[in-house]
């Protein structure tokens, strides 16, 4: 088969993996080598669905011995199959890279013959790239669940990021939809990678020239909407992954109905708004100092469709507001709807030289439409008289009406489709957070 | 109305600022020769670029205000937006008055104007790091034409000198007729005037085809979203993107 035909099949098969981040690594170029990593990542193009293309994202093969119900590549599905050779992947990567099409390679695979056999092939490929071709660009590799520890460890020495996809948020979901996969075969490699990363950091401190191990960290992906798990289950899991496994990112992928199966929900399209809300909440966990249990509880286990998670939290805790912009501390500023990280930092900076008024906040980039209910400037309040949970909520939703109709994926200009990059300019942050 | 007319170079602009200070004049506008249209009511003074004077202003910005400020001013200059010269002048005057804390005044119009422009230039620079497309020419040179809004070819060249250090390459700002040329050792900016149409070999055509195919295959059909695509990747940049042609 021609490389072109393989590429068609194996790019198509890889596209549901949402992670495309190329950030977090500082790998340098060496003399006679090609490439380096950019700390904050670079997008090279945006595909027709609006997502950033940063890496050459392909499966090594889509031949699979497993039969996970939610997956197009499952053994019993009738579709065109292909497999690359390590050399083909290497040549594509190098040639795309030299033309500046991509930031690097994101290589994943279905399970061909056996987990070890597949992992061997992946290892060979990344080893070739680094050693024979002196490639120093970004590599993100999927660890194959069930493969030997030593194979995973050796691969980790060549790549910038490694991930194991959890996909289904609960053991129950796993039993129903992917009975051949064991929870342990996913959790074990994750634990292994985490401990190697830490051991490596430790070694680096002791020995100057210790080789690096997955310097850009570990990530995973969860499917939203293929199982009965509610938002609270998912968010609590993410929180634990960030804390216990020190993951860099958890990605979420709205379940796209590609198969019918008695254990799968029958839905017409991917639950994009739900995915979006979870991304917003994930952002709150990682950068805004929120805890999962502050955002959701047993009475409200799912996010509100009409309001973003931060606004919801704020109206439920209306007794904490309004706060005085010129005095309140950074942590609390971050919790005000309409104030993002960028504007919070700018407020802290600007108020050192003068007291801020309402106009100033506008210049700084605060979204006053939302923030006005929760703040005072120099003691003045611009919100509504009746500061109760339901009245504030109603006003906020009214202000959101225009944005509300984004439910149908069409006009979604939101960050869940946006790259997972941490962009260098704070400016872009608002776009990413969807202005919380 | 007092107009300072300069040659359009960064040194020229700095010389204007030097002169304004020593002549104790306050120009109404600082305009490059190219942009100047003449005006019956204005008094024009042509300022000759002077390296020494420029250097003194340069050092004074760096030492008395900050390196950050110097960078802000340079990036703003590269935006090549008419009338920004006078904002640079006002911004610097404020800077010499209050020193390095100038960039904390996030609500001051002068500071705001400069910061905003700098951010736009920065944004385009970062975008271009991704959107530049090299084509392999027969002479074993990787050639990338582009038409940025701002004059940023010199800002992106160092990135590629580091990353693609073992390739000969040219990044060509077609609109301005200049380019960065790199020979595996160092890069320079020079005028570029390309006459013939580019010829690509089989290998180049093959990889362009592969890339286009990849681009097509990676989009998720249930999520097609041209608006989002265009807002992330404005159409003005599509002309030189292999995957969009
Ligand atoms: S093992 Fe992976 S590729 Fe194979 S069916 Fe399951 S999810 Fe799909």
């Amino acid at each position: 088969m021609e490389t072109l035909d393989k590429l068609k099949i194996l790019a198509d098969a890889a596209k549901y993996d949402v992670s495309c981040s190329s950030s977090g690594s500082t790998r340098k170029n060496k003399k006679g080598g090609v490439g380096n990593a950019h700390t904050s990542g670079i997008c090279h193009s945006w595909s027709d669905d609006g997502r950033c293309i940063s890496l050459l994202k392909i499966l090594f093969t889509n031949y699979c011995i497993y039969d996970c119900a939610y997956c197009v590549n499952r053994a019993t599905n009738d579709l065109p199959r292909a497999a690359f050779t390590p050399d083909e992947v290497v040549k594509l990567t190098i040639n795309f890279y030299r033309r500046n099409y991509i930031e690097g390679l994101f290589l994943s695979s279905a399970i061909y013959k056996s987990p070890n056999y597949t992992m061997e092939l992946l290892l060979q490929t990344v080893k070739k790239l680094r050693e024979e071709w002196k490639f120093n660009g970004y590599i993100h590799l999927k660890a194959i669940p069930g493969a030997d520890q030593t194979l995973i460890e050796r691969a980790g020495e060549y790549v910038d990021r490694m991930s194991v996809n959890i996909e289904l948020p609960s053991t129950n979901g796993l039993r129903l939809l992917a009975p051949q996969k064991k929870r342990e075969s996913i959790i074990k490699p994750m634990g292994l990678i985490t401990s190697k990363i830490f051991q490596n950091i430790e070694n680096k401190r002791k020995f100057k020239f210790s080789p690096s191990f997955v310097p850009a960290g570990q990530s995973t992906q969860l499917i939203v909407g293929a199982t009965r798990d509610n938002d609270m289950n998912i968010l609590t899991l993410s929180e634990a992954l960030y804390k216990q496994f020190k993951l860099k990112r958890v990605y979420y992928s709205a379940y796209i109905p590609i198969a019918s199966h008695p254990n799968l929900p029958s839905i017409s399209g991917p639950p994009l708004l739900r995915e979006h809300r979870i991304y917003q909440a994930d952002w709150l966990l990682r950068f805004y100092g929120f805890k999962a249990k502050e955002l959701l509880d047993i009475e409200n286990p799912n996010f509100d469709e009409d309001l973003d998670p931060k606004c919801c939290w704020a109206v439920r805790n209306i007794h904490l507001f309004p706060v005085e912009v010129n005095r309140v501390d950074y942590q609390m500023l971050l919790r005000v709807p309409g104030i993002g990280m960028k504007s919070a930092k700018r407020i802290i900076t600007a108020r050192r030289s003068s007291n801020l008024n309402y106009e100033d906040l506008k210049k700084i980039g605060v979204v006053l439409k939302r923030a006005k209910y929760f703040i005072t400037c120099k003691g003045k309040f611009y919100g509504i008289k009746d500061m109760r949970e339901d009245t504030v909520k109603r006003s906020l939703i009214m202000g959101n009406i225009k944005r509300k109709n984004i439910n149908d994926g069409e006009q979604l200009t939101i960050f869940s489709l946006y790259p997972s990059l941490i962009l260098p300019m704070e400016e872009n942050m608002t776009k990413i957070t969807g202005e919380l | 109305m007092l107009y300072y007319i300069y040659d359009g170079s960064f040194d020229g602009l700095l010389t204007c600022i030097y002169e304004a200070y020593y002549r104790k004049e306050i120009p109404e506008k600082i305009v490059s020769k190219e942009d100047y249209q003449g005006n019956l009511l204005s008094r024009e003074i042509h300022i000759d670029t002077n390296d020494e004077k420029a250097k003194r202003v340069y050092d004074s910005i760096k030492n008395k205000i900050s390196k950050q400020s110097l960078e802000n001013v340079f990036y703003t200059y590269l935006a090549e937006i008419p009338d920004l010269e006078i904002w640079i002048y006002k911004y610097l005057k404020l800077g010499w008055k209050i020193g390095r804390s100038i960039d904390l005044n996030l609500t001051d119009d002068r500071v705001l104007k400069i910061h905003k422009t700098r951010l736009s230039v920065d944004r385009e620079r970062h975008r271009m790091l991704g959107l530049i497309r090299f084509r392999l020419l027969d002479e074993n040179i990787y050639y990338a034409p582009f038409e940025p809004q701002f004059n940023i070819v010199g800002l992106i060249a160092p990135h590629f000198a580091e990353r693609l250090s073992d390739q000969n390459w040219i990044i060509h700002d077609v609109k301005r007729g200049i380019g960065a040329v790199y020979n595996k050792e160092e890069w320079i900016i020079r005028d570029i005037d390309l006459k013939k149409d580019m010829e690509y070999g089989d290998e180049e055509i093959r990889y362009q085809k592969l890339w286009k195919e990849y681009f097509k295959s990676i989009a998720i059909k249930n999520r097609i979203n041209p608006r989002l695509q265009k807002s992330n990747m404005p159409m003005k940049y599509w002309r030189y993107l292999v995957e969009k042609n």
Side-chain angles (χ1 to χ4, degrees), chain A residues 8 29 35-36 44-46 48-49 57 95 97-100 103 272 275 363 412 417-418, chain B residues 104 107 119 123 129 132-134 162-163 166-167 204 207 213-214 219-220 223 225 229 232 243:
Chain A
K8 234 186 258 181
N29 200 356
N36 56 359
H44 285 253
S45 192
W46 280 266
D48 292 339
D49 53 23
K57 178 160 47 171
N95 277 288
Y97 196 85
R98 288 198 179 284
R99 287 167 177 76
N100 204 42
E103 222 22 48
L272 294 181
E275 179 199 273
K363 288 187 193 168
L412 228 54
L417 302 179
Y418 200 83
Chain B
L104 301 184
T107 54
L119 210 62
R123 193 183 304 130
L129 297 184
I132 288 281
R133 294 287 176 272
F134 288 101
E162 161 82 24
R163 169 167 290 198
D166 66 339
Q167 285 169 230
E204 175 57 27
Y207 279 107
E213 194 54 55
Y214 177 73
I220 297 180
R223 301 181 86 154
N225 189 343
Q229 182 186 37
N232 284 322
E243 63 272 30

Side-chain angles (χ1 to χ4, degrees), chain B residues 156-174:
Chain B
I156 62 176
H159 169 83
F160 290 103
E162 161 82 24
R163 169 167 290 198
L164 305 175
S165 62
D166 66 339
Q167 285 169 230
N168 294 309
W169 52 250
I170 298 172
I171 300 172
H172 181 193
D173 182 337
V174 180

Side-chain angles (χ1 to χ4, degrees), chain A residues 265-283:
Chain A
S266 54
I267 44 174
S268 59
L272 294 181
L273 182 60
R274 189 170 168 211
E275 179 199 273
H276 177 51
R277 290 281 178 254
I278 294 180
Y279 265 114
Q280 289 180 316
D282 178 273
W283 206 265

Side-chain angles (χ1 to χ4, degrees), chain A residues 157-177:
Chain A
E157 287 170 20
Y158 296 108
V159 305
D160 297 282
R161 171 167 287 182
M162 229 197 220
S163 57
V164 186
N165 278 5
I166 295 182
E167 305 284 20
L168 302 175
S170 61
T171 331
N172 197 25
L174 209 58
R175 200 172 52 234
L176 287 172
L177 299 173

Side-chain angles (χ1 to χ4, degrees), chain A residues 382-413:
Chain A
Y382 296 84
I384 46 175
K385 246 200 222 121
D386 190 10
M387 281 284 285
R388 279 178 317 161
E389 181 173 339
D390 52 332
T391 47
V392 174
K393 186 166 175 182
R394 205 170 323 121
S395 313
L396 277 167
I397 293 176
M398 291 300 277
N400 266 354
I401 265 331
K402 251 208 288 166
R403 290 158 34 96
K404 221 197 92 180
N405 295 329
I406 60 170
N407 202 342
D408 53 303
E410 281 252 52
Q411 302 164 3
L412 228 54
T413 52

